[in-house]
């Protein structure tokens, strides 16, 4: 997969290089089940047309620019999004700099400059995707904004328990500590990477830690895996295991969040049996 960091300065150079492609559109923070359906639909269209599959995503998140949010709870860093999109079969990943200029583009200008001139022949997005200044463009207007030159596939809402699966919903569940709910929304448990020094796990940036409390997790690195209990504070994660910390835990690892054992008030949600320590 080729990753292209696009902005108004280098756009013309990539327009010259562009060839026909099918493009999936959106932020895709967390790559949840709704996102995966959009990517899979776009991959199907690309295969039928025998053209590459591209994804256009935006950074920083549009809400930080439009709503002036200084603190935003990303579910994954762009590097993790890049890896997941590659695994899903994406050929070109356009990460567009979302600034005030970009946010102010008219729907027509966005479609002309960032879709048509980048070779898009078929666009795929979910039912609620919006584009252009004030989000005035949507899946109903996209074909018209392209002058009929782009076909459009709209992916219907993917729900869980009657509600839209969304990155916002996942952020809310995490910040409430409900990590056991997340496989129903993401398709697997929420994971984040970080570094272990002694018994302190420091998460990498642009992940969201669950609410403070005790959690049952699985710690992985390339060679080993350990099911254990951790305590989440505001900014860090501490191992609570009263065993000697295994030497292999030091350094880079992945934390897989299985369930909340108790919240910061000490209310118990789940009896964790310490002796089941191997994953
Ligand atoms: C080129 C472009 C410009 C946009 N400009 C705006 C805007 O000015 N205001 C807005 O609310 N959304 C704008 N959006 C839509 C946002 O990307 C986002 O979809 C919208 O804020 C709703 O976010 P949500 O669907 O994640 O809740 C723009 C999108 C694109 C691709
Ligand atoms: N549950 C869903 N069903 C179908 N399509 C979806 C769903 N959630 C998002 N999409 C689509 O996936 C793409 C990425 O959307 P986006 O990044 O805005 O996801 P989101 O989950 O709505 O994020 P947020 O909650 O931050 O607004 C868009 O095309 C959007 O329409």
């Amino acid at each position: 997969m080729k990753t292209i960091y696009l902005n108004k300065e280098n756009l013309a150079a990539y327009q010259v290089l562009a060839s026909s492609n099918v493009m999936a559109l959106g932020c895709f923070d967390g790559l949840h089940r709704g996102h995966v359906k959009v990517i899979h639909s776009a991959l199907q269209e690309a295969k039928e047309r025998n053209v590459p599959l591209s994804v256009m995503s935006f950074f920083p998140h549009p809400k930080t620019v439009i709503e002036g949010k200084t603190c935003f709870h990303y579910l994954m860093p762009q590097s993790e999004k890049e890896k997941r999109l590659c695994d899903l079969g994406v050929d070109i990943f356009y990460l567009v700099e979302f600034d005030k200029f970009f946010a102010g583009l008219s729907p027509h200008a966005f479609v002309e400059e960032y879709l048509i001139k980048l070779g898009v022949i078929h666009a795929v997005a979910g039912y609620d995707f919006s584009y252009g200044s004030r989000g005035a463009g949507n899946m109903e207007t996209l074909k018209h904004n392209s002058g009929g030159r782009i076909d459009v596939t709209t992916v219907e809402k993917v729900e869980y328990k009657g509600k839209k699966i969304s990155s916002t919903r996942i952020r809310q569940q995490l910040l409430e500590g409900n990590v056991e709910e997340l496989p129903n929304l993401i398709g697997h448990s929420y994971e984040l990477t970080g570094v272990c020094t002694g018994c302190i796990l420091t998460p990498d940036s642009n992940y969201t830690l669950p609410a403070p409390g005790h959690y049952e997790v699985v710690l992985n690195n390339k060679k080993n895996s350990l099911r254990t209990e951790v305590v989440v504070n505001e900014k860090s994660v501490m191992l609570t295991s009263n065993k000697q910390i295994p030497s292999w835990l030091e350094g880079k690892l992945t934390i897989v969040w299985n369930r909340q054992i108790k919240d910061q008030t000490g209310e118990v949600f789940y009896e964790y049996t310490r002796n089941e320590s191997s994953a």
Side-chain angles (χ1 to χ4, degrees):
M1 181 177 84
K2 182 173 173 53
T3 298
I4 296 171
Y5 297 93
L6 212 47
N7 56 46
K8 57 184 177 299
E9 284 75 31
N10 65 14
L11 174 63
Y14 286 108
Q15 289 172 339
V16 169
L17 299 172
S19 60
S20 296
N21 65 91
V22 171
M23 182 180 278
L25 294 154
C27 292
F28 298 111
D29 185 27
L31 262 299
H32 59 62
R33 288 177 46 220
H35 294 156
V36 171
K37 187 165 181 193
V38 170
I39 305 287
H40 281 169
S41 304
L43 184 63
Q44 191 56 40
E45 297 295 343
K47 284 181 176 167
E48 283 172 15
R49 289 161 178 72
N50 195 25
V51 296
L53 167 61
S54 64
V55 162
M56 179 171 286
S57 189
F58 314 106
F59 190 81
H61 194 286
K63 288 178 179 167
T64 62
V65 174
I66 292 153
E67 299 169 13
K69 283 188 174 180
T70 48
C71 165
F72 191 81
H73 293 288
Y74 289 98
L75 296 173
M76 61 174 50
Q78 296 312 305
S79 55
E80 181 61 23
K81 185 193 289 186
E82 198 174 340
K83 214 169 352 158
R84 299 282 177 99
L85 290 174
C86 183
D87 293 346
L88 287 168
V90 175
D91 300 301
I92 309 163
F93 174 36
Y94 289 107
L95 193 54
V96 183
E97 183 182 351
F98 199 100
D99 57 12
K100 287 262 186 232
F101 167 81
F102 186 74
L105 285 173
S106 70
H108 181 265
F110 168 67
V111 171
E112 187 65 32
E113 294 302 321
Y114 286 82
L115 272 65
I116 301 267
K117 289 185 179 176
L118 286 177
V120 177
I121 57 170
H122 193 111
V124 181
Y127 69 103
D128 61 352
F129 176 69
S130 60
Y131 61 90
S133 183
R134 291 188 300 283
N138 57 48
M139 296 307 280
E140 304 295 317
T141 61
L142 207 160
K143 189 169 179 82
H144 172 71
N145 283 149
S146 75
R149 288 171 287 178
I150 294 180
D151 291 324
V152 173
T153 295
T154 302
V155 174
E156 291 311 309
K157 185 183 339 182
V158 178
E159 298 182 345
Y160 173 69
K161 287 188 176 171
K163 279 174 45 186
K164 174 192 172 187
I165 293 177
S166 70
S167 306
T168 300
R169 185 176 173 186
I170 293 166
R171 294 181 195 110
Q172 283 160 346
Q173 292 300 314
L174 269 172
L175 296 173
E176 289 167 17
N178 303 328
V179 295
E180 55 272 35
E181 183 81 348
L182 298 180
N184 301 308
L185 304 178
I186 306 173
H188 52 79
S189 297
Y190 181 66
E191 302 178 6
L192 59 82
T193 60
V195 177
C196 182
T197 316
C199 60
I200 301 291
L201 299 165
T202 309
D204 292 335
S205 51
N206 287 336
Y207 282 107
T208 298
L209 271 180
H214 288 232
Y215 293 84
E216 181 213 299
V217 299
V218 174
L219 304 178
N220 291 313
N221 66 11
K222 289 193 174 53
K223 297 188 293 294
N224 297 281
S225 175
L226 172 71
R227 182 167 166 266
T228 188
E229 181 182 337
V230 296
V231 177
V232 175
N233 304 312
E234 283 313 313
K235 291 266 184 224
S236 70
V237 182
M238 197 160 69
L239 288 170
T240 59
S241 160
N242 51 15
K243 301 185 297 298
Q244 180 59 32
I245 303 292
S247 57
W248 63 263
L249 258 181
E250 290 287 327
K252 198 89 180 125
L253 48 71
T254 299
I255 312 174
V256 180
W257 300 87
N258 283 349
R259 69 184 84 221
Q260 188 178 39
I261 297 167
K262 53 187 170 188
D263 66 11
Q264 58 183 348
T265 65
E267 184 184 352
V268 176
F269 296 98
Y270 164 72
E271 281 303 325
Y272 172 71
T273 46
R274 280 183 183 282
N275 58 359
E276 300 162 46
S277 64
S278 55

